[in-house]
Amino acid sequence: MGFLDKVGKTAAAAAGKAGNKAGELLEVGKLKAQIASQKQDISSLKKEIGDYCYSMFDGEELGTLDNDKIKDLCLKIAVANAAIAELENRIEAAKDEHDARDGINSAQD
């Protein structure tokens, strides 16, 4: 009976350790989720700061921006926005050209 008692105690100890480890992992998981949530909040706030700074450059508070580094970055955004607008115009022109060719081809059929 001593052997079975020893096996039972060992199994109970192992189960206790497994339970403790599971609890630890659960707590770590919760803490990591809270960290991820805080990081997401920080990212949102940084985006809000960026939007505000850009509005001082090119928006409702035009001309109130007084920081050369931020002005430089805003200029780069303005250049990228202009490039996007040009590319979108080219897309529309390509679609119009394609539609015109389809119209000619349909009329010839």
Side-chain angles (χ1 to χ4, degrees):
M1 207 51 180
F3 175 74
L4 292 179
D5 286 338
K6 188 174 183 180
V7 169
K9 287 180 184 179
T10 302
K17 285 182 183 180
N20 288 340
K21 189 66 172 175
E24 176 186 331
L25 291 175
L26 181 62
E27 182 65 23
V28 168
K30 286 179 185 179
L31 294 171
K32 285 185 177 185
Q34 289 176 2
I35 289 169
S37 177
Q38 291 296 319
K39 286 182 177 182
Q40 187 175 18
D41 289 348
I42 289 168
S43 291
S44 294
L45 291 167
K46 284 181 177 181
K47 183 189 178 310
E48 192 173 332
I49 290 168
D51 290 344
Y52 178 72
C53 287
Y54 191 74
S55 75
M56 289 191 300
F57 170 78
D58 190 41
E60 56 271 5
E61 297 185 41
L62 187 62
T64 59
L65 185 62
D66 189 26
N67 182 296
D68 290 337
K69 177 67 174 177
I70 295 173
K71 280 182 184 178
D72 184 48
L73 295 170
C74 288
L75 284 170
K76 289 178 181 179
I77 291 170
V79 168
N81 280 331
I84 289 168
E86 174 60 29
L87 293 168
E88 287 173 339
N89 288 337
R90 290 172 57 189
I91 288 170
E92 288 304 314
K95 285 181 180 179
D96 291 345
E97 184 179 319
H98 181 61
D99 289 345
R101 271 190 267 136
D102 281 350
I104 292 171
N105 290 339
S106 294
Q108 291 177 354
D109 291 339

